[in-house]
Amino acid sequence: MNNTNIIVLNKINKSFPLTIGGTQQVLFDITFTIKSGEFVAIMGPSGSGKSTCMNIVGALDSATSGTYELYGKDITTMTADDLATVRNEYIGFVFQNFNLLSKRTILDNVMLPLLYRGMNINDRIRRSREMLKLVGLEKFETYFPTQLSGGMKQRVAIARALAGNPKLILADEPTGSLDSKMGNEILKFFEKLNRDFGITIIMITHEFEIAQYARRIIHIYDGHITYDGVVPKSEKTLLDSEKRHKK
Ligand code: ADP
Ligand code: MG
């Protein structure tokens, strides 16, 4: 951990237009910083704004107001092209539903994002095989996603995220479609990536058991941060922070 702030969010607000007119505000003055090497869980009940927050952190969506710096770059004023470059350079994404291409082999799935980095075919194959080995799936490179279990699919998605050598992994409910055994394997793997490779991890979850794998919890409730600190001994601390907000 080298103590540099890699993410600096300052008073981020986000509203969505409603089809019936007007807007719905989903995030309110979201302010936090994340340092290189952290493993943070963004936790909160369903509908609290976690994914909206992650999409902004991942430069997939922009805030309505507020400022955001990622690796020293002002994200708020960037063009769509520049945002894509930043995403490619720094971030690996992992989603609940794996987002694999079902008609492509496992190897192809991992290789695909590397195409956008201008890597030649031999390097793409070599790099993707290395990543499949890292997640223990080197024997499955010719398989298709439908032939694999949920846990294996998520490992493919992680291999794909890692292939681009990201400094930061953003994972939105990565174990949400897995049983607890497969889920725990994925979470242990995140721990290893964070500990052994120094990759910063931001993981979204609505479950305290899962958030406990992180070393810090940012708790969001109704679009507000109600807790930001070390993982508390019990979930009650987080639920109490919601209650204080409701008052
Ligand atoms: P969470 O991930 O915590 O379950 P979300 O960030 O997905 O919550 O959603 C928070 C709120 O924002 C919900 O009320 C949801 O309906 C609304 N929302 C999310 N994305 C959009 C969108 N693209 N357009 C309109 N409303 C949205
Ligand atoms: Mg969500």
Side-chain angles (χ1 to χ4, degrees):
M1 203 178 297
N2 60 20
N3 248 27
T4 342
N5 283 332
I6 58 165
I7 287 171
V8 183
L9 287 183
N10 190 30
K11 297 200 166 175
I12 292 289
N13 291 288
K14 178 69 178 178
S15 300
F16 291 110
L18 294 172
T19 45
I20 52 163
T23 58
Q24 177 198 1
Q25 187 164 354
V26 172
L27 295 177
F28 299 82
D29 284 344
I30 297 295
T31 300
F32 60 78
T33 60
I34 290 179
K35 291 186 194 312
S36 179
E38 281 200 85
F39 185 171
V40 183
I42 296 183
M43 198 186 138
S46 182
S48 54
K50 304 180 298 295
S51 294
T52 304
C53 185
M54 178 176 124
N55 289 343
I56 291 172
V57 170
L60 292 164
D61 196 3
S62 54
T64 310
S65 69
T67 59
Y68 174 27
E69 270 182 35
L70 176 67
Y71 291 96
K73 295 186 170 108
D74 182 0
I75 293 294
T76 350
T77 56
M78 273 191 190
T79 63
D81 275 358
D82 288 342
L83 289 176
T85 308
V86 167
R87 281 199 301 273
N88 248 321
E89 188 176 345
Y90 296 111
I91 308 177
F93 291 93
V94 178
F95 299 96
Q96 176 173 352
N97 296 318
F98 326 123
N99 288 12
L100 300 176
L101 300 172
S102 56
K103 299 218 163 84
R104 301 291 194 103
T105 64
I106 298 314
L107 186 65
D108 273 349
N109 266 282
V110 178
M111 282 172 66
L112 205 63
L114 296 175
L115 194 60
Y116 306 111
R117 307 185 142 235
M119 207 185 256
N120 75 47
I121 178 86
N122 290 329
D123 288 345
R124 290 206 312 272
I125 292 174
R126 191 176 331 113
R127 176 78 186 159
S128 300
R129 284 192 170 138
E130 269 174 35
M131 294 304 108
L132 283 173
K133 188 149 196 259
L134 189 67
V135 299
L137 291 178
E138 68 273 24
K139 296 201 181 84
F140 295 87
E141 65 168 61
T142 60
Y143 284 57
F144 291 88
T146 46
Q147 296 174 288
L148 305 184
S149 71
M152 291 161 95
K153 281 187 234 184
Q154 196 57 300
R155 272 147 66 197
V156 175
I158 293 172
R160 178 184 57 189
L162 291 173
N165 205 17
K167 290 181 164 53
L168 169 66
I169 285 191
L170 293 183
D172 193 348
E173 307 267 9
T175 62
S177 301
L178 305 178
D179 66 31
S180 61
K181 186 169 170 285
M182 284 181 188
N184 285 339
E185 276 172 22
I186 296 293
L187 293 163
K188 289 216 178 80
F189 196 72
F190 280 144
E191 272 183 332
K192 178 185 156 79
L193 291 175
N194 176 252
R195 189 184 57 229
D196 299 348
F197 298 86
I199 297 176
T200 308
I201 297 183
I202 304 177
M203 174 179 72
I204 287 180
T205 181
H206 60 274
E207 286 178 70
F208 184 59
E209 290 70 36
I210 292 171
Q212 281 172 309
Y213 280 84
R215 288 194 298 272
R216 169 182 170 193
I217 294 182
I218 297 176
H219 193 75
I220 299 190
Y221 182 73
D222 280 352
H224 297 262
I225 292 180
T226 58
Y227 177 94
D228 182 356
V230 295
V231 178
K233 287 204 177 61
S234 99
E235 190 175 7
K236 188 169 178 298
T237 307
L238 303 173
L239 299 175
D240 286 348
S241 79
E242 293 181 1
K243 280 193 204 127
R244 277 198 300 280
H245 170 75
K246 276 189 239 174
K247 275 190 193 144

